[in-house]
Amino acid sequence: MNEELKMYTCERCGKPTPNYREYSPSQAAIVGVQGRSWCDECRRELHILHEWENEQCAEERLVCPYCESSIDDPWYYDEDDEEVVCPECKRTFELEITTVRTYRTWRRIKDMPDGWNGEEF
Ligand SMILES: [Zn+2]
Ligand SMILES: [Zn+2]
């Protein structure tokens, strides 16, 4: 029996690979593709890169990806700061500040009906 393996192209290095990971429909909608192919080598590299980055997604605290200490005065940094030196371990890491959008809406005064007395209409 000679079962032929379906081959894909690694998205990262272009080498042929049998690896293919299909996204769930909801994931695919976010990422914009149906699935991804990465060869074993690239998978390993991406995994290593990801492990190294040690991304800290603490919503309200700024956490150092080296010593994982929480940095006081996070408001001291602003959106232009892309690199931060940890006050604890003195190592430099990258920072992205995301601002949460809030919404405030109100009716226009000029749309208030004449003689409106403060009750719902
Ligand atoms: Zn590859
Ligand atoms: Zn640190």
Side-chain angles (χ1 to χ4, degrees), residues 4-79:
E4 210 171 293
L5 218 50
K6 189 163 175 4
M7 293 301 271
Y8 299 90
T9 309
C10 172
E11 276 181 35
R12 206 157 162 265
C13 67
K15 276 189 228 158
T17 171
N19 297 341
Y20 183 72
R21 190 172 148 251
E22 198 173 341
Y23 290 131
S24 69
S26 57
Q27 273 181 311
I30 297 165
V31 191
V33 289
Q34 297 307 307
R36 291 214 178 279
S37 295
W38 284 321
C39 69
D40 290 336
E41 234 170 276
C42 288
R43 263 190 190 175
R44 196 165 44 240
E45 273 176 45
L46 288 165
H47 178 73
I48 290 167
L49 288 178
H50 188 76
E51 289 289 299
W52 167 248
E53 285 182 321
N54 189 24
E55 190 174 310
Q56 303 293 318
C57 277
E59 274 146 43
E60 273 146 38
R61 293 177 313 136
L62 209 167
V63 178
C64 171
Y66 284 102
C67 64
E68 301 190 6
S69 68
S70 177
I71 295 171
D72 296 330
D73 307 332
W75 52 86
Y76 170 78
Y77 304 99
D78 67 56
E79 280 159 73

Side-chain angles (χ1 to χ4, degrees), residues 79 97-101:
E79 280 159 73
I97 299 177
T98 54
T99 43
V100 179
R101 265 217 273 187

Side-chain angles (χ1 to χ4, degrees), residues 59-116:
E59 274 146 43
E60 273 146 38
R61 293 177 313 136
L62 209 167
V63 178
C64 171
Y66 284 102
C67 64
E68 301 190 6
S69 68
S70 177
I71 295 171
D72 296 330
D73 307 332
W75 52 86
Y76 170 78
Y77 304 99
D78 67 56
E79 280 159 73
D80 300 327
D81 287 316
E82 287 170 358
E83 287 190 353
V84 170
V85 179
C86 175
E88 289 292 323
C89 66
K90 313 288 180 216
R91 300 185 78 167
T92 305
F93 58 89
E94 293 186 81
L95 165 74
E96 185 189 84
I97 299 177
T98 54
T99 43
V100 179
R101 265 217 273 187
T102 58
Y103 302 94
R104 200 162 76 92
T105 69
W106 57 92
R107 292 175 185 165
R108 301 183 301 183
I109 294 291
K110 68 177 181 182
D111 293 332
M112 189 170 84
D114 290 341
W116 188 63

